[in-house]
Amino acid sequence: MPGPGAPGRGRGPTPDAVLALPEPARRMTALPVTSLYAALSGLLLLALSLLVIRARLAARVALGLGEDVRLLRASRAQGNFTEYAPLTLLLLLLLEAAGSGPALLHLLGGLALAGRVLHAIGISREPETLILRQAGMALTFAVLGLAAPLLLLRLAAG
């Protein structure tokens, strides 16, 4: 017999049942490395977005970039992140799903995240810190240049 608040008693599901995660969401730890770097990337994107908002308020520009170089730099730091991070995370996800080891995945994920942070710092400053921007892009390209061929090798190996 169903307990109080259980379906079939006329009162609907209990609050615990409504808030409980479905089984697939509880198993998200099946991809723990990608999940970690996706969460950290989400926080970095949030921070970059807040910097754009702050620059917009300071420049009093609601749409576009106006003539403000700091707003342009903040906007490009955010934009560049959104251009590279998704594919990097997708490659990481596919490598993890294909069974790549955690050491390799953490190496790639850590380099990718460090690259995005360095690039964002380098491009955001006025004047820019070119060495940080270049180092960030070098790390990002290294991850793409390693992860994509590794995934192709895994596909070829079957």
Side-chain angles (χ1 to χ4, degrees), residues 4 21 45 65 81 107-108 134 137 157:
L21 292 174
L45 179 58
L65 302 172
F81 178 86
L107 174 69
L108 294 172
Q134 291 171 334
M137 286 310 302

Side-chain angles (χ1 to χ4, degrees), residues 82-106:
T82 63
E83 292 161 7
Y84 284 96
L87 182 58
T88 303
L89 287 169
L90 178 60
L91 289 168
L92 196 65
L93 174 82
L94 294 170
L95 284 169
E96 187 167 13
S100 292
L104 172 66
L105 296 169
H106 280 295

Side-chain angles (χ1 to χ4, degrees), residues 87 91 95 108 142-155:
L87 182 58
L91 289 168
L95 284 169
L108 294 172
V143 171
L144 291 173
L146 290 170
L150 285 172
L151 188 56
L152 288 172
L153 287 172
R154 283 204 162 265
L155 285 170

Side-chain angles (χ1 to χ4, degrees), residues 11 27 34 45 52 70 72 104 107 123 131 135 144 149 155:
R11 292 199 240 165
R27 285 183 292 172
T34 303
L45 179 58
V52 171
R70 291 180 196 271
L72 172 63
L104 172 66
L107 174 69
I123 197 173
I131 190 70
L144 291 173
L155 285 170

Side-chain angles (χ1 to χ4, degrees), residues 30-142:
L31 300 167
V33 178
T34 303
S35 296
L36 170 67
Y37 290 103
L40 294 173
S41 293
L43 292 174
L44 179 55
L45 179 58
L46 177 62
L48 293 172
S49 299
L50 292 172
L51 291 174
V52 171
I53 291 169
R54 187 173 76 179
R56 283 192 181 289
L57 291 172
R60 298 178 190 227
V61 175
L63 184 63
L65 302 172
E67 299 293 322
D68 192 277
V69 174
R70 291 180 196 271
L71 175 54
L72 172 63
R73 289 190 173 283
S75 178
R76 283 311 307 143
Q78 178 198 39
N80 194 275
F81 178 86
T82 63
E83 292 161 7
Y84 284 96
L87 182 58
T88 303
L89 287 169
L90 178 60
L91 289 168
L92 196 65
L93 174 82
L94 294 170
L95 284 169
E96 187 167 13
S100 292
L104 172 66
L105 296 169
H106 280 295
L107 174 69
L108 294 172
L111 289 175
L113 190 62
R116 296 296 75 216
V117 168
L118 290 174
H119 182 272
I121 293 169
I123 197 173
S124 295
R125 296 191 175 168
E126 180 57 36
E128 78 178 28
T129 309
L130 187 59
I131 190 70
L132 292 180
R133 184 177 176 186
Q134 291 171 334
M137 286 310 302
L139 289 176
T140 299
F141 287 169

